Amino acid sequence: MKYFNIIAVNLLVLMLLSCSGIDIYVSNDGSDDNDGSKNSPVATLQKAQELARQNAGKKIINVYVEDGVYYLPETIVFRSEDSGVEGKEIVYQAVNEGNAIISGGSLLNLNWQEYKDGIYQAKTPVGINIDQVFINGQNQRMARYPNYDAIKKTAAYQGFAADAFSKERVAGWADPTGGYIHAMHRSRWGGYHYRITGKNEEGEVTYEGGWQNNRQMGMHEEYRMVENIFEELDAPGEWYHDVKTNLLFYYPENDVDLANAKVEVVRLKHLIEFEGSEANPVSHITLKGFTFRHTARTFMDTREPMLRSDWAIYRGGAIKLTGTEHVTILDSEFDQVGGNAIFFNNYNRNGLVKGCYIHDTGASGVCFVGDPNAVRDPLFEYHEKNDLSKIDLTPGPKTNNYPANSTVEDCLIHGIGRTERQPAGVQIEMAQFITVRDVSVYDCARAGINIGDGAWGGHLIERCDVFNTVLETHDHGSFNSWGRDRFWRSDRPTSQKFIDENPELPFLDAVATTTIRDSRWKCEHGWDIDLDDGSSNYEIYNNLLINGGLKFREGFRRKAWNNIIINNGLHPHVWYNKSEDEFFSNIITGEHRAIRVQKSGSGKRVDENLFYGTNTQAKYAYADFGWDTNSISGDPMFTDPEKGDFSVKEGSPAFQIGFENFPMDQFGVKKASLKAIAETPEIPEIRYDGGGASFGQKKKKDILPFIWLGAKLKALEGEEYSAFGVAKEYGGLAVLEVQENSKLFTAGIREGDLILAINDQPTRSRKMFQRVEKEVEGVISLTIIRNQTKKTIKVKGQ
C-alpha cells in the first residue's frame, strides 16, 4: 500500500509540473540566441512569440517585457497557432505598466546644421519615407498653411483659409508634389483629403483623393488647409522632409535642445495584427500594460464606404483584430497613433478593451466594424433605395462575420480625430451586443460614440461621460447614430406605405434593443444624443444631458424616460406615422422643437414630463398634437446643480411624473490612475427658457412665411438646416405648401422641397430670394434639394 501511495504522489508531482506555466522574458539587453528565461532574456517580441508558440494551448504562458522602447522591424502577426485555450491563456505584459513601448517608428541619430530663419536641416538615411516626426516624444507638425493655432481648438484644422491652394498661393511653391489638401465637407459632415500630384500649365495644383467621405458633395469653400509644402515651413514645431535630397528640415521651439533631442520617425501603419477566422480563430491572448506608439497616418487609405452613411473607413489600426475570440487588451496606452487605435474587423467574439488610455489619435479610438456581406440587402450610397417589395424579409445577419459580445470598459479616450474628421471615440458598425461601460470620451472632432447603422443592435452604453464633441464638424451629436437600414428610404411616403403593411419592417436589421443609460452627455455643436435617420429600437433612460438635448429623427420604437435635459428638450425631426416613440417622465428646461412633424406622425407617447423654467406655457406648445396632456411645470429642486448634482430633493414635483433619482457620481472612467487625469465637462448655468425661442415669441420678418407663384415659402432657421440636410451657410427656402395647378406645382415643385438658388444665385433668406427674383425674367432655373438630393427645375416667371 505504501508503494502505491509513493507512485500516486510522484504521478501528482509530474502532473503539476506538466501543467505549470511557462515564463518568457524580453529585454532590450537580451539576445534572441538566449532561452528567454529571467536571467537569459530574448531581445525581441518576435522571438518571444516564437517561443510561446511551441507550447501554445498546452500551458499557461506569461511573456514579461522589460522597460524600454521596442522598435518593430515589421508588424507582429498572431495567428491561430499562437492561441491559448481557456485555463491556459497566453499573456504578453509589460513588467511595469506603460514603460514597455511598442513602436512602429525608428530612432534617428542626426547631425543638425543651421539652415536659415531659425530652421535646421539634417541628412536622413537613403530611402526612408517619413510620415510623422516625434521630438522628445511629442508629435510635430508638417509644414502647413495656414499655421496651426492651438487657441482655435474648435476651428477646422485649428486654422483654415479659403486660399489654401489658390493659384496665387501656389505660384510661390516650387514643387508641391507630395503635399496634402485637407478640406471639410461642404456641409461639414466630416472631411476630405487629397494628395497633391503637381502643377498644371495654368499654375494650378493637381491632386487625387476625396474618397474619405461617402456623401460626395465637394469641399467646403472656406475650411481648407494644406501641409507638407516646403515653402510653408515658417512656424516653430513644423518640419518638412525632402525625399529627393534626403534632407529633414525642422523649425524647433525655443525650449528644444536640438543637439540632444530624441528624434523618432514613423514607418508602420499597424503594430500588432490578429489574423484568424471564424473557423480558425486566434483566441485567449492578452496584451497588458504596454504603450503603443508611432503608427503612420492612414487618411489616404480611408476609402471603404460604410452603409448609406457619410462615413468611409480604413480597416486597420495600431492593433487590428480579425477572427478572434477572447482576446483582451488591458491597461495599455495608445499614444498619438496616426490612424485608429484598435480595430475589431469582421468576425470577433468576446473581445475586451479595459483600463486603456487612448489619446490624440489620427482617426478613431476603438472600432467594431463587420462585413457588409453579412448584411441583407446592403446599400452604400446615401441616395440608393431598396425596392421594398423585393427585399429579403429575414431578420438579422446572413453570416457571423461581424464583431459581437465585446466590451470597451473603464477607459479614457480623448483627442480623437487629429488628422481625419470622420472619427469617433468608439465606432460601432455592422456589429451586435457591444458594451461601452465606464468610459470617458472628450475632445473629439466629431462624435464621442457613434453607431453607424441598425445592424444588429443589442448594444449597451452605460455610465459614460461624453463631452466636448463635434468640435469641428456639424449636425451631429455626442452620441450619434443612424439607421438607414433596408426599410429606410429618403422618400418617406414610400417606406411609410410598406411599414403600414408590415410594422416589423424597421426591425429586420435592428433586431435587438440598444440601451443608453446612466451616462452624462454634452455636445458643443449639436445634440447631446442624436438618433438620426431611421435609428430604431432604442431605450434611453437615467441620462444627464447638459447642452444639446435629445433628437429623434425618422425611426421607430425609441423610448426615452427618466432623463434630465438641461437648457434643452426633445427634438422630434421628420417622424413617421405610428412611430411608437415614447418620451415621458423626463425633466426638461425647454419646449420640444418639432421639425417637419405632422400631427398624424406625432408618435405614441409624449407626456408626463416636468418642464422646468419661467416659461410655463412650454408644455402647451404641441397641445394640438396631443402631447404633454399630463405634463407639469415647476422647479424640480435640484440638489446641487452648480457642482453637477442634478438629483432632486425630497418633495420635488418630479416625483409626481414618476421620475426616480439616479447616481450623479458614476459617470466615466473608474480606474484610479486614469480618473486622476480625466477631465470632466463644464457644468452650464441653467437657462430657464431652455436656450431656445420662448413659446409665442415673435419671429423676425425675414423668416416669416410668404407666398410666391402659388407656394408658401419660408427661410430656414435653427435646426431646420439639419432637418433639410444643409449647412447653415448655404441656407435655402423651404416649400411649406404648394397649390395644385400652380406654376410651381406644374413645374414639379413639391411640399418639402428646399429652394437653394435662382439662376445659380443663392437664396439663403427671404430678402435675398426676393431681390434675386426681381432681377430675372422669362424662364427661371430653380436649384432645389429634395430628399437631400440636388435637382434643377425650370419654371416660368411672373
Side-chain angles (χ1 to χ4, degrees):
M1 189 67 177
K2 181 178 179 181
Y3 173 76
F4 286 107
N5 286 339
I6 293 173
I7 293 177
V9 170
N10 289 337
L11 286 173
L12 179 60
V13 170
L14 289 172
M15 289 176 63
L16 289 173
L17 287 172
S18 65
C19 292
S20 63
I22 296 175
D23 294 338
I24 300 170
Y25 290 84
V26 183
S27 171
N28 276 328
D29 296 326
S31 169
D32 282 354
D33 294 328
N34 292 341
D35 61 10
S37 62
K38 187 175 180 64
N39 295 322
S40 185
V42 297
T44 66
L45 289 164
Q46 289 86 343
K47 183 62 178 181
Q49 178 191 15
E50 180 183 318
L51 295 175
R53 185 181 297 145
Q54 297 172 10
N55 287 283
K58 301 174 184 176
K59 297 182 179 182
I60 296 172
I61 300 175
N62 290 293
V63 177
Y64 296 102
V65 183
E66 298 285 355
D67 295 358
V69 181
Y70 295 83
Y71 296 103
L72 302 181
E74 58 187 12
T75 302
I76 296 173
V77 180
F78 291 105
R79 297 185 172 86
S80 59
E81 56 265 33
D82 294 299
S83 297
V85 297
E86 186 175 1
K88 298 176 182 177
E89 290 83 2
I90 302 176
V91 180
Y92 291 78
Q93 58 189 300
V95 172
N96 297 297
E97 182 176 324
N99 289 346
I101 300 168
I102 311 301
S103 169
S106 299
L107 178 66
L108 298 184
N109 294 312
L110 302 177
N111 181 21
W112 292 102
Q113 302 292 325
E114 189 170 355
Y115 174 61
K116 66 177 182 180
D117 300 330
I119 300 170
Y120 289 77
Q121 65 180 4
K123 201 75 174 177
T124 58
V126 175
I128 190 171
N129 185 20
I130 300 176
D131 175 71
Q132 294 174 84
V133 174
F134 284 73
I135 302 293
N136 297 329
Q138 290 301 308
N139 199 351
Q140 307 299 293
R141 290 178 293 279
M142 277 184 171
R144 53 170 279 174
Y145 172 77
N147 288 331
Y148 177 88
D149 187 344
I151 297 176
K152 297 179 178 178
K153 187 175 182 180
T154 63
Y157 305 109
Q158 290 70 60
F160 56 86
D163 71 338
F165 57 98
S166 66
K167 187 174 180 180
E168 292 74 19
R169 189 153 201 96
V170 171
W173 302 344
D175 182 8
T177 303
Y180 296 106
I181 297 169
H182 305 277
M184 298 299 290
H185 183 278
R186 179 179 174 87
S187 293
R188 296 169 61 189
W189 296 330
Y192 300 105
H193 308 273
Y194 305 83
R195 181 184 294 109
I196 297 175
T197 56
K199 289 186 187 182
N200 60 23
E201 294 179 356
E202 288 74 33
E204 301 166 325
V205 293
T206 57
Y207 49 85
E208 61 182 6
W211 43 66
Q212 296 84 0
N213 197 294
N214 198 27
R215 300 285 293 275
Q216 289 292 317
M217 298 168 66
M219 297 186 208
H220 197 282
E221 295 176 355
E222 186 177 3
Y223 299 148
R224 302 173 175 189
M225 182 268 284
V226 293
E227 66 174 358
N228 207 34
I229 306 294
F230 179 65
E231 288 79 6
E232 302 299 345
L233 178 54
D234 59 1
E238 290 188 344
W239 62 271
Y240 175 82
H241 184 235
D242 190 328
V243 295
K244 295 179 181 177
T245 62
N246 301 305
L247 285 173
L248 177 62
F249 297 87
Y250 177 57
Y251 191 153
E253 301 276 1
N254 290 332
D255 60 351
V256 173
D257 178 6
L258 198 54
N260 296 300
K262 183 178 182 180
V263 182
E264 296 166 295
V265 296
V266 176
R267 298 174 295 102
L268 300 180
K269 294 179 181 178
H270 303 170
L271 302 178
I272 295 176
E273 294 183 3
F274 294 82
E275 290 188 358
S277 64
E278 182 181 2
N280 293 292
V282 186
S283 65
H284 293 92
I285 295 178
T286 294
L287 305 176
K288 181 179 180 181
F290 295 103
T291 292
F292 297 98
R293 188 181 291 165
H294 303 149
T295 62
R297 300 181 302 172
T298 54
F299 59 90
M300 290 305 296
D301 298 311
T302 301
R303 60 192 308 163
E304 179 187 344
M306 295 288 91
L307 301 181
R308 281 205 285 189
S309 76
D310 47 16
W311 274 68
I313 203 82
Y314 169 68
R315 290 180 182 265
I319 297 180
K320 179 183 178 183
L321 303 97
T322 303
T324 73
E325 295 177 356
H326 299 283
V327 169
T328 300
I329 303 169
L330 294 179
D331 301 322
S332 293
E333 179 180 358
F334 293 78
D335 175 19
Q336 305 170 87
V337 296
N340 304 309
I342 303 170
F343 198 101
F344 287 86
N345 176 55
N346 292 338
Y347 178 83
N348 288 276
R349 295 293 185 275
N350 301 109
L352 174 62
V353 178
K354 184 175 181 179
C356 291
Y357 180 27
I358 301 171
H359 63 95
D360 301 294
T361 63
S364 293
V366 185
C367 299
F368 299 90
V369 183
D371 178 8
N373 291 320
V375 181
R376 301 178 190 275
D377 300 305
L379 297 174
F380 297 93
E381 293 289 340
Y382 176 89
H383 299 295
E384 292 180 356
K385 297 177 175 65
N386 276 316
D387 183 341
L388 298 183
S389 66
K390 298 179 180 179
I391 62 171
D392 185 344
L393 295 178
T394 307
K398 288 192 297 185
T399 73
N400 292 325
N401 202 28
Y402 57 89
N405 303 105
S406 296
T407 300
V408 180
E409 183 174 354
D410 206 6
C411 292
L412 173 57
I413 303 174
H414 68 82
I416 299 303
R418 295 304 194 202
T419 302
E420 302 185 34
R421 296 302 182 265
Q422 213 80 358
V426 179
Q427 164 70 356
I428 301 169
E429 176 96 19
M430 296 174 287
Q432 190 172 44
F433 301 124
I434 304 300
T435 294
V436 185
R437 174 187 294 128
D438 297 325
V439 175
S440 293
V441 186
Y442 54 87
D443 288 352
C444 301
R446 188 166 161 155
I449 300 174
N450 191 84
I451 297 180
D453 48 49
W456 292 274
H459 312 302
L460 172 61
I461 298 167
E462 64 178 355
R463 298 194 302 272
C464 291
D465 200 10
V466 186
F467 58 97
N468 287 2
T469 61
V470 193
L471 295 178
E472 297 181 54
T473 59
H474 171 79
D475 197 16
H476 307 116
S478 284
F479 172 85
N480 205 101
S481 68
W482 47 91
R484 300 171 192 141
D485 305 330
R486 60 186 120 161
F487 84 91
W488 185 86
R489 293 172 60 104
S490 56
D491 54 336
R492 282 168 295 282
T494 300
S495 49
Q496 183 73 67
K497 172 187 173 183
F498 283 89
I499 293 167
D500 288 344
E501 296 172 358
N502 181 4
E504 292 303 307
L505 203 60
F507 311 106
L508 296 179
D509 292 307
V511 291
T513 301
T514 291
T515 299
I516 304 174
R517 67 188 182 194
D518 297 303
S519 297
R520 180 167 58 190
W521 307 89
K522 185 184 183 187
C523 187
E524 277 26 63
H525 302 108
W527 296 271
D528 294 337
I529 297 179
D530 179 5
L531 271 60
D532 207 359
D533 299 351
S535 299
S536 299
N537 204 357
Y538 278 78
E539 292 190 349
I540 302 172
Y541 61 92
N542 291 4
N543 293 281
L544 175 61
L545 288 69
I546 56 176
N547 193 57
L550 171 65
K551 173 183 161 190
F552 285 174
R553 175 174 174 138
E554 291 184 326
F556 289 83
R557 206 176 296 163
R558 285 85 58 94
K559 183 178 178 182
W561 76 98
N562 216 71
N563 302 288
I564 301 170
I565 305 179
I566 302 302
N567 296 338
N568 227 301
L570 174 66
H571 299 248
H573 287 195
V574 204
W575 278 6
Y576 284 98
N577 297 337
K578 303 176 183 178
S579 68
E580 296 187 63
D581 288 332
E582 296 186 72
F583 183 81
F584 63 95
S585 298
N586 300 288
I587 301 173
I588 57 180
T589 61
E591 65 186 42
H592 312 310
R593 303 178 192 177
I595 306 294
R596 298 175 65 190
V597 174
Q598 300 175 349
K599 294 179 183 179
S600 59
S602 58
K604 181 179 181 181
R605 180 185 180 193
V606 180
D607 204 358
E608 297 178 73
N609 299 296
L610 171 58
F611 288 83
Y612 176 32
T614 57
N615 180 2
T616 59
Q617 296 298 307
K619 83 184 201 76
Y620 300 111
Y622 293 92
D624 56 342
F625 280 41
W627 292 359
D628 294 305
T629 301
N630 300 295
S631 294
I632 60 176
S633 298
D635 183 349
M637 301 168 58
F638 292 133
T639 300
D640 194 352
E642 291 80 8
K643 294 183 179 179
D645 185 353
F646 289 88
S647 61
V648 299
K649 300 175 184 177
E650 184 178 352
S652 167
F655 297 124
Q656 299 175 29
I657 60 164
F659 180 84
E660 297 180 2
N661 280 320
F662 54 91
M664 292 283 158
D665 58 355
Q666 297 297 309
F667 306 129
V669 64
K670 306 296 189 296
K671 183 179 176 182
S673 61
L674 297 181
K675 188 173 183 178
I677 62 173
E679 296 181 12
T680 55
E682 181 179 347
I683 303 300
E685 182 180 351
I686 299 174
R687 301 192 303 270
Y688 297 106
D689 64 352
S694 296
F695 180 73
Q697 179 180 339
K698 186 176 181 180
K699 297 180 179 180
K700 296 179 181 179
K701 180 179 179 181
D702 198 43
I703 55 175
L704 287 174
F706 64 100
I707 303 298
W708 181 65
L709 299 183
K712 181 186 288 187
L713 309 180
K714 176 189 174 297
L716 299 185
E717 59 176 321
E719 59 203 78
E720 290 175 339
Y721 295 101
S722 171
F724 280 92
V726 295
K728 185 175 182 179
E729 50 263 45
Y730 299 111
L733 297 172
V735 180
L736 303 182
E737 299 174 8
V738 57
Q739 298 175 5
E740 290 190 22
N741 301 320
S742 67
K743 285 186 177 182
L744 289 182
F745 187 89
T746 302
I749 294 292
R750 295 293 181 266
E751 180 182 331
D753 288 345
L754 183 71
I755 300 174
L756 293 178
I758 297 178
N759 291 359
D760 296 324
Q761 297 185 59
T763 56
R764 289 190 289 270
S765 67
R766 173 180 177 175
K767 185 177 181 179
M768 290 180 66
F769 179 89
Q770 292 175 332
R771 185 180 67 246
V772 172
E773 188 266 337
K774 288 179 181 178
E775 297 174 354
V776 298
E777 297 180 359
V779 176
I780 298 173
S781 176
L782 298 178
T783 303
I784 71 164
I785 292 286
R786 178 179 296 164
N787 297 325
Q788 298 195 21
T789 301
K790 188 179 289 188
K791 295 176 176 289
T792 299
I793 289 180
K794 305 287 186 179
V795 60
K796 291 183 179 181
Q798 298 280 14

